[in-house]
Amino acid sequence: MANKTIPFEEVETRLLHNAETRQAYDRLEPAYQIARLRTMRGLTQQELAELVGTKQPSIARLENGKS
């Protein structure tokens, strides 16, 4: 039996219909975007921290969704 590949968009749509999953997704989205944009620009957490006037552990907590 062959495995059927399901497009990511379909999986995402199915998952986000669940209210609890949607809340968790929405809570983590800003952290994901910060990490994504930082890496797209080729910055380390330390470099970003220096640019915004904080310390690297603060950036790590932010990107992990812990603060």
Side-chain angles (χ1 to χ4, degrees), residues 16-62:
L16 295 180
H17 271 89
N18 177 288
E20 187 176 324
T21 303
R22 181 63 193 211
Q23 286 178 335
Y25 177 88
D26 290 344
R27 208 171 34 250
L28 292 173
E29 182 64 13
Y32 166 75
Q33 290 299 332
I34 290 168
R36 183 181 70 81
L37 293 170
R38 176 184 61 76
T39 58
M40 282 178 54
R41 286 166 176 75
L43 296 171
T44 64
Q45 289 181 344
Q46 181 64 42
E47 291 168 332
L48 178 58
E50 290 169 6
L51 286 171
V52 299
T54 191
K55 298 187 186 290
Q56 180 274 329
S58 296
I59 299 298
R61 284 191 301 274
L62 181 65

